[in-house]
Amino acid sequence: MSSVVAPPSQPYLSAPKVGFVSLGCPKALTDSEQILTQLRAEGYETSPSYEGADLVIVNTCGFIDDAVRESLDAIGEALNKNGKVIVTGCLGAKAGPTGGNLIEHVHPSVLAVTGPHATTEVMQAVHEHLPKPHDPFIDLVPDHGIRLTPKHYAYLKISEGCNHRCTFCIIPSMRGDLVSRPIHDVVREAENLAKAGVKELLVISQDTSAYGVDVKYRTGFVNGRAVRTRMTDMVRELATLGMWVRLHYVYPYPSVDEVIPLMNETHASGGRVLPYLDVPFQHANQRILKLMKRPASSERNLDRIRAWREACPELTIRSTFIAGFPGETEEEFQELLDFLVEAQLDRVGCFAYSPVEGATANELPDPVPEDIRNERVARFMAVQESISRKRLAKKVGKVVKCLVDEVNADGGIARSMADAPEIDGSVFISPAEKPWKRYKVGDIVSVRITGSDSHDLWGDVA
């Protein structure tokens, strides 16, 4: 690490200001929220600009090459416009070409570098280079902490790390093995978010289905009651708090079968486990799944999907897939397309395989040329677009519950129970012509669907 000018020893007369750049996935976003909460608790203020900040923290992503480049560019911009930069996040755990730290190799003038979920280490670096205010007021921090999402929805991270060793992924090398949060901590955070007016809770982790595996589903205590550290028990607790509960990163383990019936229940408090599952299937061919070191057998997954939909007819299933994985033949890719047609998934993303430095899949034989990878993604998405268009068309004429995200001169932009923020579609609502049909951001309204396309819906307040 390069030397820097020592910070002044006397306390700041006014609250020191910290700029913050948050990159990457929702799990990184919750890391950012924890750091910002601690900064606020200690009396620091945040700056909306580089120029107005006494130093800048950049929370990075290092999952794929494009994310690495974006993070390195963001660090460079912060250094150019401010000069005092602390770096944290997944890229902070990535080695450079000569064995040292990649960030310090590219940007040797950064003040400090930490890995992901490292609030304590980040704050130590902040204290070293920007002294704490003399007398911070802890009561300035709300119970739910500092959040980067809109007031009406929030992410709830239930664990860190992952026990899987997928050959295309380097997350375990950056975030480590699975570490589940204590059940009472998870529920307490959710309770505080509910008190703050949050209407939708998005449960995230690297592997939500595995919650509690590392502690052998240890029993904890929630408001004096014994509750196991286990996905089903946790979801049942969250469903009583009066919020929509949306589950992400759910691996298709048998334990998911226990959660599906909860999606059919509407609780008296207004809370509901949304009939929505984000399940990362990644592929359908058994050989490719084994090369990926993923749970194999597309036949079992098709059976699970059928059983889930029988148990919960309203269920929306979202998934992601990789096309052009090393060694993937045309026949194996066609099997993936056949799976897509058979499964009739509601929301789907597909990515061309991208070599990630440090991933073991890079050593597999028969890499698929880039042009073929991109061509397969285009074919995949064309098939899914047709599926999505037909499935959304079936909603025309129905009344669906929607959460309003935005209100403008053209009406409202909302999301149904089938739509997660930023990754799924939207419901565009006509302006409310009658006073009793007016809505505002954060309202849950009933919308009669009048139109659809391949991704979005249109409707009027019912």
Side-chain angles (χ1 to χ4, degrees):
M1 185 182 301
S2 61
S3 61
V4 295
V5 178
S9 57
Q10 72 273 17
Y12 279 67
L13 296 178
S14 60
K17 293 182 172 61
V18 178
F20 208 102
V21 178
S22 184
L23 304 172
C25 66
K27 293 178 284 295
L29 185 72
T30 60
D31 287 348
S32 296
E33 291 173 340
Q34 290 171 10
I35 295 169
L36 286 166
T37 296
Q38 188 61 35
L39 286 167
R40 183 66 183 274
E42 295 186 9
Y44 292 92
E45 294 183 2
T46 53
S47 170
S49 68
Y50 292 116
E51 293 77 14
D54 297 301
L55 64 76
V56 176
I57 298 172
V58 180
N59 189 4
T60 60
C61 178
F63 182 51
I64 59 176
D65 291 346
D66 286 346
V68 171
R69 284 191 290 270
E70 180 186 19
S71 293
L72 291 174
D73 288 346
I75 296 167
E77 181 182 13
L79 285 169
N80 182 53
K81 294 187 175 182
N82 182 279
K84 299 179 69 175
V85 179
I86 293 170
V87 181
T88 187
C90 288
L91 190 59
K94 196 175 185 67
T98 59
N101 183 272
L102 174 63
I103 293 172
E104 291 179 340
H105 174 78
V106 177
H107 296 297
S109 60
V110 296
L111 301 180
V113 178
T114 79
H117 51 89
T119 300
T120 300
E121 291 83 353
V122 170
M123 292 307 302
Q124 289 172 348
V126 172
H127 297 158
E128 179 182 352
H129 299 285
L130 189 64
K132 286 197 296 185
H134 179 62
D135 187 22
F137 294 91
I138 300 298
D139 58 357
L140 291 176
V141 182
D143 290 338
H144 58 271
I146 305 301
R147 293 178 19 237
L148 299 175
T149 52
K151 293 181 179 180
H152 59 285
Y153 70 81
Y155 293 100
L156 178 67
K157 184 161 57 173
I158 62 172
S159 64
E160 293 286 357
C162 182
N163 287 343
H164 295 289
R165 294 296 182 265
C166 301
T167 57
F168 56 81
C169 180
I170 58 173
I171 292 297
S173 67
M174 295 187 287
R175 289 186 171 262
D177 289 336
L178 175 71
V179 179
S180 299
R181 292 180 61 191
I183 184 68
H184 65 272
D185 280 356
V186 171
V187 177
R188 181 172 61 235
E189 181 178 346
E191 289 173 340
N192 288 333
L193 290 169
K195 291 175 184 176
V198 168
K199 300 292 183 65
E200 178 182 13
L201 201 60
L202 299 107
V203 178
I204 59 171
S205 67
Q206 295 299 141
D207 181 358
T208 297
S209 303
Y211 177 64
V213 167
D214 55 313
V215 295
K216 299 180 180 179
Y217 306 120
R218 175 171 62 208
T219 297
F221 291 89
V222 175
N223 299 321
R225 295 177 291 102
V227 180
R228 296 177 68 193
T229 309
R230 189 167 174 267
M231 180 178 68
T232 306
D233 302 71
M234 173 198 65
V235 171
R236 190 175 288 114
E237 292 294 319
L238 299 180
T240 66
L241 300 180
M243 297 178 284
W244 284 5
V245 178
R246 190 182 301 275
L247 302 179
H248 287 275
Y249 311 107
V250 180
Y251 278 66
Y253 304 150
S255 58
V256 178
D257 299 344
E258 301 174 5
V259 174
I260 299 296
L262 299 177
M263 297 178 177
N264 285 322
E265 300 175 8
T266 301
H267 298 277
S269 63
R272 180 173 185 180
V273 184
L274 297 184
Y276 179 102
L277 282 179
D278 174 11
V279 186
F281 290 121
Q282 303 297 3
H283 212 280
N285 176 265
Q286 291 190 43
R287 189 183 76 88
I288 296 298
L289 287 168
K290 289 176 180 177
L291 288 175
M292 292 178 171
K293 291 193 175 178
R294 303 285 291 182
S297 182
S298 61
E299 290 83 2
R300 285 206 304 272
N301 285 336
L302 285 171
D303 289 340
R304 288 188 179 109
I305 291 169
R306 293 188 190 100
W308 293 341
R309 283 179 169 153
E310 287 177 5
C312 182
E314 294 183 6
L315 181 65
T316 294
I317 302 176
R318 144 166 279 282
S319 191
T320 51
F321 295 86
I322 296 174
F325 191 78
E328 181 190 63
T329 66
E330 176 61 27
E331 291 75 16
E332 289 166 335
F333 175 69
Q334 184 59 50
E335 184 177 340
L336 175 56
L337 296 183
D338 294 341
F339 172 87
L340 200 60
V341 172
E342 182 73 18
Q344 291 287 299
L345 303 177
D346 301 271
R347 302 294 194 185
V348 171
C350 183
F351 305 92
Y353 172 76
S354 174
V356 178
E357 185 178 350
T360 56
N362 298 341
E363 309 302 322
L364 292 173
D366 305 319
V368 178
E370 183 178 5
D371 59 338
I372 295 179
R373 280 182 263 152
N374 293 333
E375 182 265 345
R376 287 179 180 174
V377 169
R379 288 164 58 195
F380 180 102
M381 293 310 298
V383 172
Q384 177 56 32
E385 183 174 344
S386 175
I387 294 170
S388 179
R389 181 179 293 274
K390 292 176 183 176
R391 292 188 71 82
L392 289 177
K394 294 178 181 179
K395 297 188 178 184
V396 174
K398 295 183 178 180
V399 175
V400 299
K401 292 287 187 181
C402 295
L403 178 60
V404 180
D405 283 336
E406 180 182 337
V407 177
N408 54 44
D410 297 322
I413 302 175
R415 290 178 292 106
S416 72
M417 294 181 182
D419 303 303
E422 299 186 357
I423 59 174
D424 293 329
S426 298
V427 182
F428 297 94
I429 313 174
S430 301
E433 297 179 354
K434 299 179 180 179
W436 60 86
K437 290 188 176 182
R438 289 176 185 164
Y439 49 82
K440 61 183 183 298
V441 172
D443 283 351
I444 295 177
V445 297
S446 296
V447 177
R448 186 176 301 281
I449 304 303
T450 59
S452 67
D453 63 12
S454 298
H455 305 287
D456 303 312
L457 298 169
W458 283 258
D460 304 313
V461 175

